[in-house]
PDB file of all heavy atoms in Angstrom:
ATOM      1  N   VAL P 358     -19.946  -0.728  -7.878  1.00 93.00           N
ATOM      2  CA  VAL P 358     -20.236  -1.278  -9.195  1.00 93.00           C
ATOM      3  C   VAL P 358     -20.827  -0.199 -10.106  1.00 93.00           C
ATOM      4  O   VAL P 358     -20.393  -0.005 -11.234  1.00 93.00           O
ATOM      5  CB  VAL P 358     -21.193  -2.479  -9.088  1.00 93.00           C
ATOM      6  CG1 VAL P 358     -21.607  -2.969 -10.481  1.00 93.00           C
ATOM      7  CG2 VAL P 358     -20.537  -3.609  -8.307  1.00 93.00           C
ATOM      8  N   HIS P 359     -21.844   0.516  -9.586  1.00 92.00           N
ATOM      9  CA  HIS P 359     -22.489   1.585 -10.353  1.00 92.00           C
ATOM     10  C   HIS P 359     -23.325   2.437  -9.403  1.00 92.00           C
ATOM     11  O   HIS P 359     -24.019   1.913  -8.537  1.00 92.00           O
ATOM     12  CB  HIS P 359     -23.389   1.008 -11.454  1.00 92.00           C
ATOM     13  CG  HIS P 359     -23.734   2.001 -12.520  1.00 92.00           C
ATOM     14  ND1 HIS P 359     -24.666   3.003 -12.332  1.00 92.00           N
ATOM     15  CD2 HIS P 359     -23.256   2.160 -13.789  1.00 92.00           C
ATOM     16  CE1 HIS P 359     -24.762   3.726 -13.434  1.00 92.00           C
ATOM     17  NE2 HIS P 359     -23.911   3.239 -14.334  1.00 92.00           N
ATOM     18  N   THR P 360     -23.243   3.746  -9.577  1.00 92.00           N
ATOM     19  CA  THR P 360     -23.973   4.667  -8.698  1.00 92.00           C
ATOM     20  C   THR P 360     -25.465   4.357  -8.663  1.00 92.00           C
ATOM     21  O   THR P 360     -26.079   4.341  -7.583  1.00 92.00           O
ATOM     22  CB  THR P 360     -23.754   6.128  -9.157  1.00 92.00           C
ATOM     23  OG1 THR P 360     -22.352   6.388  -9.199  1.00 92.00           O
ATOM     24  CG2 THR P 360     -24.409   7.099  -8.200  1.00 92.00           C
ATOM     25  N   ASP P 361     -26.057   4.104  -9.825  1.00 91.00           N
ATOM     26  CA  ASP P 361     -27.497   3.817  -9.871  1.00 91.00           C
ATOM     27  C   ASP P 361     -27.841   2.547  -9.102  1.00 91.00           C
ATOM     28  O   ASP P 361     -28.906   2.458  -8.475  1.00 91.00           O
ATOM     29  CB  ASP P 361     -27.967   3.675 -11.325  1.00 91.00           C
ATOM     30  CG  ASP P 361     -28.021   5.014 -12.041  1.00 91.00           C
ATOM     31  OD1 ASP P 361     -28.008   6.053 -11.348  1.00 91.00           O
ATOM     32  OD2 ASP P 361     -28.062   5.032 -13.293  1.00 91.00           O
ATOM     33  N   LEU P 362     -26.948   1.566  -9.144  1.00 92.00           N
ATOM     34  CA  LEU P 362     -27.184   0.318  -8.414  1.00 92.00           C
ATOM     35  C   LEU P 362     -27.191   0.570  -6.910  1.00 92.00           C
ATOM     36  O   LEU P 362     -27.990  -0.024  -6.171  1.00 92.00           O
ATOM     37  CB  LEU P 362     -26.094  -0.702  -8.778  1.00 92.00           C
ATOM     38  CG  LEU P 362     -26.385  -2.181  -8.482  1.00 92.00           C
ATOM     39  CD1 LEU P 362     -27.615  -2.653  -9.235  1.00 92.00           C
ATOM     40  CD2 LEU P 362     -25.171  -3.042  -8.829  1.00 92.00           C
ATOM     41  N   GLY P 363     -26.329   1.464  -6.462  1.00 91.00           N
ATOM     42  CA  GLY P 363     -26.311   1.821  -5.048  1.00 91.00           C
ATOM     43  C   GLY P 363     -27.572   2.556  -4.627  1.00 91.00           C
ATOM     44  O   GLY P 363     -28.134   2.300  -3.559  1.00 91.00           O
ATOM     45  N   ARG P 364     -28.030   3.461  -5.492  1.00 93.00           N
ATOM     46  CA  ARG P 364     -29.225   4.256  -5.162  1.00 93.00           C
ATOM     47  C   ARG P 364     -30.486   3.403  -5.111  1.00 93.00           C
ATOM     48  O   ARG P 364     -31.411   3.699  -4.351  1.00 93.00           O
ATOM     49  CB  ARG P 364     -29.399   5.355  -6.208  1.00 93.00           C
ATOM     50  CG  ARG P 364     -28.391   6.488  -6.082  1.00 93.00           C
ATOM     51  CD  ARG P 364     -28.528   7.461  -7.233  1.00 93.00           C
ATOM     52  NE  ARG P 364     -27.566   8.545  -7.148  1.00 93.00           N
ATOM     53  CZ  ARG P 364     -27.149   9.257  -8.189  1.00 93.00           C
ATOM     54  NH1 ARG P 364     -27.620   8.989  -9.398  1.00 93.00           N
ATOM     55  NH2 ARG P 364     -26.267  10.223  -8.027  1.00 93.00           N
ATOM     56  N   THR P 365     -30.556   2.360  -5.943  1.00 94.00           N
ATOM     57  CA  THR P 365     -31.768   1.539  -6.031  1.00 94.00           C
ATOM     58  C   THR P 365     -31.621   0.210  -5.292  1.00 94.00           C
ATOM     59  O   THR P 365     -32.425  -0.704  -5.462  1.00 94.00           O
ATOM     60  CB  THR P 365     -32.111   1.269  -7.509  1.00 94.00           C
ATOM     61  OG1 THR P 365     -30.988   0.627  -8.140  1.00 94.00           O
ATOM     62  CG2 THR P 365     -32.428   2.568  -8.238  1.00 94.00           C
ATOM     63  N   PHE P 366     -30.583   0.084  -4.469  1.00 94.00           N
ATOM     64  CA  PHE P 366     -30.287  -1.155  -3.743  1.00 94.00           C
ATOM     65  C   PHE P 366     -31.471  -1.593  -2.869  1.00 94.00           C
ATOM     66  O   PHE P 366     -32.062  -0.793  -2.147  1.00 94.00           O
ATOM     67  CB  PHE P 366     -29.054  -0.942  -2.857  1.00 94.00           C
ATOM     68  CG  PHE P 366     -28.729  -2.099  -1.952  1.00 94.00           C
ATOM     69  CD1 PHE P 366     -27.909  -3.124  -2.398  1.00 94.00           C
ATOM     70  CD2 PHE P 366     -29.236  -2.164  -0.660  1.00 94.00           C
ATOM     71  CE1 PHE P 366     -27.597  -4.196  -1.559  1.00 94.00           C
ATOM     72  CE2 PHE P 366     -28.935  -3.218   0.179  1.00 94.00           C
ATOM     73  CZ  PHE P 366     -28.112  -4.243  -0.281  1.00 94.00           C
ATOM     74  N   LEU P 367     -31.802  -2.871  -2.948  1.00 94.00           N
ATOM     75  CA  LEU P 367     -32.836  -3.452  -2.084  1.00 94.00           C
ATOM     76  C   LEU P 367     -32.219  -4.392  -1.053  1.00 94.00           C
ATOM     77  O   LEU P 367     -32.389  -4.218   0.154  1.00 94.00           O
ATOM     78  CB  LEU P 367     -33.865  -4.229  -2.922  1.00 94.00           C
ATOM     79  CG  LEU P 367     -34.884  -3.419  -3.715  1.00 94.00           C
ATOM     80  CD1 LEU P 367     -35.767  -4.351  -4.530  1.00 94.00           C
ATOM     81  CD2 LEU P 367     -35.734  -2.562  -2.777  1.00 94.00           C
ATOM     82  N   TYR P 368     -31.514  -5.398  -1.549  1.00 95.00           N
ATOM     83  CA  TYR P 368     -30.843  -6.353  -0.668  1.00 95.00           C
ATOM     84  C   TYR P 368     -29.791  -7.085  -1.490  1.00 95.00           C
ATOM     85  O   TYR P 368     -29.606  -6.822  -2.685  1.00 95.00           O
ATOM     86  CB  TYR P 368     -31.840  -7.343  -0.046  1.00 95.00           C
ATOM     87  CG  TYR P 368     -32.592  -8.196  -1.043  1.00 95.00           C
ATOM     88  CD1 TYR P 368     -32.102  -9.443  -1.447  1.00 95.00           C
ATOM     89  CD2 TYR P 368     -33.809  -7.767  -1.576  1.00 95.00           C
ATOM     90  CE1 TYR P 368     -32.792 -10.226  -2.364  1.00 95.00           C
ATOM     91  CE2 TYR P 368     -34.513  -8.546  -2.491  1.00 95.00           C
ATOM     92  CZ  TYR P 368     -33.994  -9.780  -2.881  1.00 95.00           C
ATOM     93  OH  TYR P 368     -34.669 -10.549  -3.789  1.00 95.00           O
ATOM     94  N   ALA P 369     -29.093  -8.021  -0.871  1.00 96.00           N
ATOM     95  CA  ALA P 369     -28.065  -8.791  -1.571  1.00 96.00           C
ATOM     96  C   ALA P 369     -28.239 -10.264  -1.244  1.00 96.00           C
ATOM     97  O   ALA P 369     -28.930 -10.632  -0.289  1.00 96.00           O
ATOM     98  CB  ALA P 369     -26.682  -8.307  -1.172  1.00 96.00           C
ATOM     99  N   ILE P 370     -27.604 -11.096  -2.043  1.00 97.00           N
ATOM    100  CA  ILE P 370     -27.607 -12.538  -1.791  1.00 97.00           C
ATOM    101  C   ILE P 370     -26.157 -13.004  -1.709  1.00 97.00           C
ATOM    102  O   ILE P 370     -25.343 -12.710  -2.596  1.00 97.00           O
ATOM    103  CB  ILE P 370     -28.346 -13.310  -2.902  1.00 97.00           C
ATOM    104  CG1 ILE P 370     -29.822 -12.911  -2.919  1.00 97.00           C
ATOM    105  CG2 ILE P 370     -28.208 -14.817  -2.692  1.00 97.00           C
ATOM    106  CD1 ILE P 370     -30.600 -13.473  -4.091  1.00 97.00           C
ATOM    107  N   ASN P 371     -25.838 -13.691  -0.622  1.00 97.00           N
ATOM    108  CA  ASN P 371     -24.511 -14.280  -0.467  1.00 97.00           C
ATOM    109  C   ASN P 371     -24.478 -15.561  -1.295  1.00 97.00           C
ATOM    110  O   ASN P 371     -25.190 -16.525  -1.000  1.00 97.00           O
ATOM    111  CB  ASN P 371     -24.256 -14.586   1.017  1.00 97.00           C
ATOM    112  CG  ASN P 371     -22.846 -15.093   1.269  1.00 97.00           C
ATOM    113  OD1 ASN P 371     -22.271 -15.813   0.457  1.00 97.00           O
ATOM    114  ND2 ASN P 371     -22.299 -14.722   2.416  1.00 97.00           N
ATOM    115  N   ALA P 372     -23.680 -15.582  -2.349  1.00 96.00           N
ATOM    116  CA  ALA P 372     -23.687 -16.706  -3.292  1.00 96.00           C
ATOM    117  C   ALA P 372     -23.135 -17.995  -2.685  1.00 96.00           C
ATOM    118  O   ALA P 372     -23.411 -19.077  -3.201  1.00 96.00           O
ATOM    119  CB  ALA P 372     -22.897 -16.339  -4.546  1.00 96.00           C
ATOM    120  N   ARG P 373     -22.380 -17.887  -1.620  1.00 94.00           N
ATOM    121  CA  ARG P 373     -21.860 -19.096  -0.974  1.00 94.00           C
ATOM    122  C   ARG P 373     -22.960 -19.804  -0.172  1.00 94.00           C
ATOM    123  O   ARG P 373     -23.062 -21.028  -0.188  1.00 94.00           O
ATOM    124  CB  ARG P 373     -20.692 -18.749  -0.052  1.00 94.00           C
ATOM    125  CG  ARG P 373     -19.439 -18.293  -0.780  1.00 94.00           C
ATOM    126  CD  ARG P 373     -18.371 -17.895   0.248  1.00 94.00           C
ATOM    127  NE  ARG P 373     -17.179 -17.379  -0.389  1.00 94.00           N
ATOM    128  CZ  ARG P 373     -16.191 -18.120  -0.861  1.00 94.00           C
ATOM    129  NH1 ARG P 373     -16.273 -19.430  -0.786  1.00 94.00           N
ATOM    130  NH2 ARG P 373     -15.127 -17.558  -1.416  1.00 94.00           N
ATOM    131  N   THR P 374     -23.745 -18.993   0.537  1.00 94.00           N
ATOM    132  CA  THR P 374     -24.789 -19.573   1.404  1.00 94.00           C
ATOM    133  C   THR P 374     -26.165 -19.558   0.746  1.00 94.00           C
ATOM    134  O   THR P 374     -27.080 -20.218   1.228  1.00 94.00           O
ATOM    135  CB  THR P 374     -24.870 -18.776   2.719  1.00 94.00           C
ATOM    136  OG1 THR P 374     -25.282 -17.432   2.421  1.00 94.00           O
ATOM    137  CG2 THR P 374     -23.528 -18.752   3.430  1.00 94.00           C
TER     138      THR P 374
END
Side-chain angles (χ1 to χ4, degrees):
V358 174
H359 198 284
T360 304
D361 287 343
L362 199 60
R364 287 174 181 156
T365 57
F366 174 89
L367 285 177
Y368 61 91
I370 296 172
N371 185 324
R373 291 177 183 276
T374 64

